[in-house]
C-alpha cells in the first residue's frame, strides 16, 4: 500500500451516508477499484468525487511517472484505490497509481504467458550499457548482449543501435517465475 506522509483533508467535511462508509472501508481493506470523478485541481493534487464522498487524490499517487498536464484530468472519471479513510479526521485519500501498477503487472504476466521460445518480435531499445542493449518488449525488458553485434575489443552497442530504435529480436529463454526473458537478434546487422 502506498505510503502517505500527511493526512489529506478535503476543503469540505466528509458527508457520507452509513452505507457509503461501509463501502469505502471495504474498498480500502480489499483493495477494490472505485470510480472517482475529478472535480478540480488543488495544491498538491485533486479533489475527486467517489459516490457520495469527496476525497483527495495526491499528484504523487496519480500516475507512475511525472504528470505534465494535470489540468487534463479535471472532469475525467478514474479508477482508484482507497489508501486512507478516516471519517473522524475528514480524510479520504485515493490512489490511481496503485491501479495503474496493478494493471501493468497483469499486462506483464499476460505477455510472459504469450512468449514462446524461438518466436520473433519487435522491441524498442530503451537503454545502452557497455555490455549490451536493453530492449522493451511491451512491459518486459530483455538484454541483447554486445556479442550479438561484435566481438571486437572496444565495440559499444551505440555503434549499432540507439535508444528508441525498433529492433527485431528472437526469444531465447523465458523464466516466468522471475519475469525474465533472454533475447537475441533475429536478424544479424
Amino acid at each position: 500500500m502506498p505510503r502517505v506522509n500527511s493526512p489529506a483533508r478535503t476543503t469540505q467535511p466528509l458527508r457520507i451516508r452509513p452505507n457509503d462508509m461501509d463501502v469505502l472501508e471495504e474498498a480500502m481493506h480489499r483493495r477494490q477499484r472505485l470510480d472517482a470523478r475529478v472535480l478540480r485541481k488543488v495544491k498538491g493534487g485533486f479533489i475527486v468525487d467517489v459516490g457520495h464522498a469527496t476525497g483527495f487524490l495526491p499528484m504523487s499517487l496519480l500516475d507512475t511517472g511525472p504528470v505534465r498536464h494535470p489540468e487534463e484530468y479535471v472532469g475525467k472519471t478514474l479508477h482508484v484505490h482507497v489508501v486512507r479513510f478516516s471519517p473522524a479526521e475528514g480524510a479520504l485519500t485515493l490512489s490511481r497509481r496503485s491501479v495503474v501498477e496493478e494493471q501493468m503487472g497483469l499486462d506483464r504476466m499476460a505477455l510472459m504467458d504469450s512468449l514462446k521460445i524461438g518466436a520473433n518480435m519487435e522491441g524498442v531499445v530503451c537503454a545502452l550499457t557497455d555490455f549490451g542493449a536493453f530492449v522493451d518488449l511491451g512491459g518486459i525488458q530483455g538484454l541483447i548482449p554486445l556479442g550479438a553485434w561484435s566481438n571486437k575489443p572496444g565495440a559499444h552497442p551505440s555503434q549499432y543501435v540507439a535508444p528508441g530504435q525498433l529492433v527485431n529480436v528472437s526469444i531465447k529463454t523465458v523464466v516466468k517465475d522471475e519475469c525474465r526473458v533472454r533475447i537475441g537478434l533475429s536478424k544479424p546487422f
Side-chain angles (χ1 to χ4, degrees), residues 24-173:
L24 292 171
E25 281 284 342
E26 185 173 339
M28 183 175 70
H29 293 296
R30 292 185 181 217
R31 291 190 47 85
Q32 294 173 330
R33 289 184 185 187
L34 298 175
D35 289 333
R37 191 170 52 85
V38 179
L39 299 176
R40 65 185 176 277
K41 168 103 177 62
V42 294
K43 184 177 180 180
F46 299 94
I47 299 298
V48 297
D49 177 51
V50 183
H52 296 285
T54 306
F56 181 66
L57 174 58
M59 190 68 68
S60 63
L61 297 180
L62 181 62
D63 211 335
T64 57
V67 177
R68 302 212 186 272
H69 304 287
E71 62 280 354
E72 293 178 359
Y73 287 90
V74 175
K76 292 189 176 180
T77 299
L78 309 173
H79 296 298
V80 296
H81 286 142
V82 176
V83 293
R84 184 167 185 277
F85 176 54
S86 176
E89 295 178 27
L92 174 60
T93 305
L94 305 159
S95 172
R96 177 178 171 264
R97 183 178 71 193
S98 63
V99 173
V100 171
E101 289 171 342
E102 185 179 270
Q103 187 59 50
M104 288 169 61
L106 294 172
D107 293 346
R108 192 172 16 258
M109 292 312 298
L111 177 59
M112 286 297 294
D113 289 341
S114 71
L115 294 177
K116 304 287 183 232
I117 295 174
N120 293 327
M121 63 187 306
E122 207 169 63
V124 178
V125 176
C126 54
L128 301 177
T129 66
D130 290 337
F131 51 85
F134 284 95
V135 176
D136 185 351
L137 303 173
I140 298 172
Q141 291 184 5
L143 174 71
I144 300 176
L146 179 58
W149 290 293
S150 174
N151 289 324
K152 296 178 187 173
H156 193 271
S158 62
Q159 297 169 310
Y160 306 97
V161 293
Q165 180 178 339
L166 288 175
V167 291
N168 291 316
V169 298
S170 62
I171 307 300
K172 301 293 183 190
T173 59

